[in-house]
Amino acid sequence: MKPSTRAWVAADKAHCWHPFTRQDQWCDGDPLVLVEGDGVWLTDSEGRRYIDGNASIWTNIHGHRHPVINEAIVRQLEQVAHTSYLGFANPRASELAGRLCGLFPSGELSRVFFSDDGSTAVECAIKMEIQFRMQTGAPERTEFLAFDQCYHGDTMGAASLGGVSSFFERFRQFGFPVHHLQGIEGLEALDEAQIARTAAVVIEPLVQGVNQIHVWPNGMLRQLREWCDRHGVHLILDEVMTGFGRTGSMFACQQEEVIPDFLCCAKGITGGYMPLAATLTREAIYEAFLGGAERAFYYGHSYTANPLGCAAALASLDVFEQEQTLAQLPEKVRLLGDLLTEMQQRCSNIHAVRQCGMVAGVELRQASGEPFPYTRRVGANICEAAREHGLLTRPVLDTVVLMPPLCIDSEEIKQMCLALEAGISDTLS
Ligand SMILES: *Cc1c(COP(=O)(O)O)cnc(C)c1O
């Protein structure tokens, strides 16, 4: 290990606290220190190169160190890095809000509220929803519907929607009232009183990421929109993971021609370069916050609409056009699907392959079909083994996630799949 790596690892173990991490286990091993990126590749402090197989925790879209995004950030930096959005406008935020609304040509989503992360984008939607109900004569609508095993972020409001009990159960009593549904069928079981108390339904459209890449049935989102319309319930779409091309279209909801009442974006909005989030909504919802100080939305963060983040987001949208990112996806999606299907045929431990666009989950089980004992950490061990073959990714339990930057080429897709297969056979045979 180089002396610089040794120093970084020592300082990490002495002072850092990582997200979603058992720090006792973390400190047993030596973490990789990532120092550089280029396209879909990342380089660690020892000079080893890896394919960024989970797009740096589902954020990266056009690859690392993309000249167009880098240049946009530098150009903005030469003007100013940050100015307050409280009391002031800024050019990049004005331009970006227009561009984001323009991604919905029918014009229903016409207002953008900026924040910093996926969690705050969702937090903001649910607080707007609650206040909207108070100000439009329906204060009894205070509850939310969400889905089993859903994930919407970690701030208290977003966390109260969460359906993964190991993350959220201990905080349940402190959050918003939420009723969890098994699936769309769960709506039928709701009684009138429950529906009358419901403000909104929240869902990750087309695919739940944290729920081991659970793909919803075709047409489910459309049905959910229709149910909401019949019952005066709003639809909040969490496109934090699915947005910006990840599922094959710019937004997942566009595949079922659904327009939500709130659309939450983050992760890929800046191409994965800066923390920035946006909550889009309709003019009619915005208008309920007009007409007096007591009706305003008192919410915000100090880095709201950060100009560097907005500049990166604008550049990322430019790259979508220049590189025809979406038009190139069907071929890549097909190749990834074909390779994973072939791998499943070769490998008796692959129980299922789930895929939605450039989001894939490879679920490992014992050859008998039984899950591995949790304590074997099979998913985690496979990902560690795959590093030796030049792939970085993470599992959700025993489902290994492949969600590369969309710019990945066919050669790199093949390399990524080979590295995963090598990691599986190193671990299980
Ligand atoms: C990652 C994620 C979030 C939370 O976003 P952060 O930026 O980590 O706060 C919310 N919803 C979904 C669907 C996510 O994938």
Side-chain angles (χ1 to χ4, degrees), residues 8 49 58 66 172 182-183 258 351 405 407:
W8 287 322
R49 276 159 52 85
W58 312 355
H66 194 292
R172 190 73 70 206
Q182 295 275 341
V258 162
H351 174 74
C407 67

Side-chain angles (χ1 to χ4, degrees), residues 223-400:
Q223 278 174 278
L224 185 61
R225 174 76 267 184
E226 286 162 9
W227 183 90
C228 287
D229 290 343
R230 277 201 303 283
H231 294 94
V233 168
H234 279 156
L235 179 61
I236 300 176
L237 294 188
D238 176 350
E239 293 235 23
V240 172
M241 184 271 278
T242 54
F244 300 95
R246 199 68 74 185
T247 69
S249 47
M250 190 55 102
F251 293 100
C253 62
Q254 293 170 327
Q255 293 187 34
E256 296 199 8
E257 292 171 17
V258 162
I259 305 282
D261 301 292
F262 294 95
L263 180 86
C264 307
C265 313
K267 291 196 170 101
I269 191 173
T270 61
Y273 280 57
M274 308 283 299
L276 182 78
T279 306
L280 276 61
T281 191
R282 295 170 185 263
E283 206 64 17
I285 291 178
Y286 171 78
E287 281 168 359
F289 292 79
L290 306 177
E294 72 293 349
R295 296 174 73 84
F297 187 54
Y298 291 111
Y299 179 100
H301 296 283
S302 34
Y303 282 96
T304 290
N306 172 254
L308 294 173
C310 293
L314 286 164
S316 174
L317 293 175
D318 289 343
V319 176
F320 266 103
E321 289 170 15
Q322 290 163 14
E323 298 186 356
Q324 291 289 295
T325 305
L326 295 179
Q328 293 187 44
L329 282 179
E331 201 180 317
K332 299 180 187 189
V333 169
R334 209 171 318 117
L335 177 62
L336 178 62
D338 289 348
L339 293 175
L340 292 177
T341 308
E342 289 166 22
M343 199 192 302
Q344 184 175 15
Q345 282 156 5
R346 285 191 296 270
C347 177
S348 59
N349 291 113
I350 298 181
H351 174 74
V353 172
R354 293 182 286 272
Q355 186 187 1
C356 179
M358 286 302 273
V359 177
V362 177
E363 183 178 355
L364 283 306
R365 292 201 187 176
Q366 305 184 52
S368 65
E370 283 288 296
F372 286 104
Y374 170 68
T375 47
R376 269 190 70 183
R377 299 177 70 245
V378 163
N381 291 335
I382 288 171
C383 291
E384 256 162 60
R387 286 181 186 184
E388 301 301 317
H389 302 280
L391 169 66
L392 293 186
T393 189
R394 282 183 68 86
V396 183
L397 302 174
D398 287 341
T399 297
V400 175

